[in-house]
Amino acid sequence: QVQLVESGGGLVQAGGSLRLSCAASGSIFSINLMGWYRQAPGKQRELVATITFSGRTNYADSVKGRFTISRDNAKNTVYLQMNSLKYEDTAVYYCNLVQRGYANWGQGTQVTVSS
């Protein structure tokens, strides 16, 4: 059993910044992939960024240069630093952890960017 708890969402003006955190607990194995996805109203859930246990990152084109994903393996925590936020970044952001072929999801945290 894996639990993922996100925090850090909120309301911010366009151009502002937010930092999301996701703490994983339970049966965590050392080889895993952590990441962030988001889902806007009426749209499908989409990849934002992922990071391997060794620190290799991958970003959606829409957030490259603005968002930075990082992780603290000792704390089983993944972060998403979001800068230069745009209205279209408004969504529920979900933390994801994949290990041994199984995907675990957090409950989501709302990010709202006002224009």
Side-chain angles (χ1 to χ4, degrees), residues 1-9 19-29 32-36 51 69-80 93-99 104-109:
Q1 295 267 351
V2 173
Q3 295 79 41
L4 300 173
V5 179
E6 300 112 331
S7 61
R19 189 190 193 211
L20 306 182
S21 299
C22 173
S25 61
S27 300
I28 308 298
F29 299 99
N32 59 61
L33 177 72
M34 297 190 77
W36 292 93
I51 184 167
I69 189 170
S70 61
R71 64 188 288 170
D72 183 335
N73 291 331
K75 297 180 179 179
N76 289 323
T77 300
V78 64
Y79 306 95
L80 186 68
Y93 283 69
Y94 295 92
C95 178
N96 172 267
L97 184 152
V98 178
Q99 59 182 15
N104 303 273
W105 294 93
Q107 81 286 353
T109 184

Side-chain angles (χ1 to χ4, degrees), residues 8-109:
L11 174 65
V12 64
Q13 288 188 333
S17 299
L18 281 175
R19 189 190 193 211
L20 306 182
S21 299
C22 173
S25 61
S27 300
I28 308 298
F29 299 99
S30 60
I31 306 300
N32 59 61
L33 177 72
M34 297 190 77
W36 292 93
Y37 290 70
R38 66 187 182 187
Q39 187 167 18
K43 295 187 177 181
Q44 290 188 331
R45 190 172 298 188
E46 63 176 6
L47 169 74
V48 176
T50 61
I51 184 167
T52 67
F53 186 82
S54 60
R56 182 175 299 178
T57 58
N58 179 54
Y59 294 93
D61 288 342
S62 59
V63 306
K64 281 181 181 177
R66 300 189 298 122
F67 291 10
T68 302
I69 189 170
S70 61
R71 64 188 288 170
D72 183 335
N73 291 331
K75 297 180 179 179
N76 289 323
T77 300
V78 64
Y79 306 95
L80 186 68
Q81 178 66 44
M82 304 185 293
N83 299 328
S84 302
L85 282 161
K86 304 177 181 179
Y87 174 76
E88 50 265 40
D89 294 319
T90 296
V92 177
Y93 283 69
Y94 295 92
C95 178
N96 172 267
L97 184 152
V98 178
Q99 59 182 15
R100 298 194 173 185
Y102 189 80
N104 303 273
W105 294 93
Q107 81 286 353
T109 184

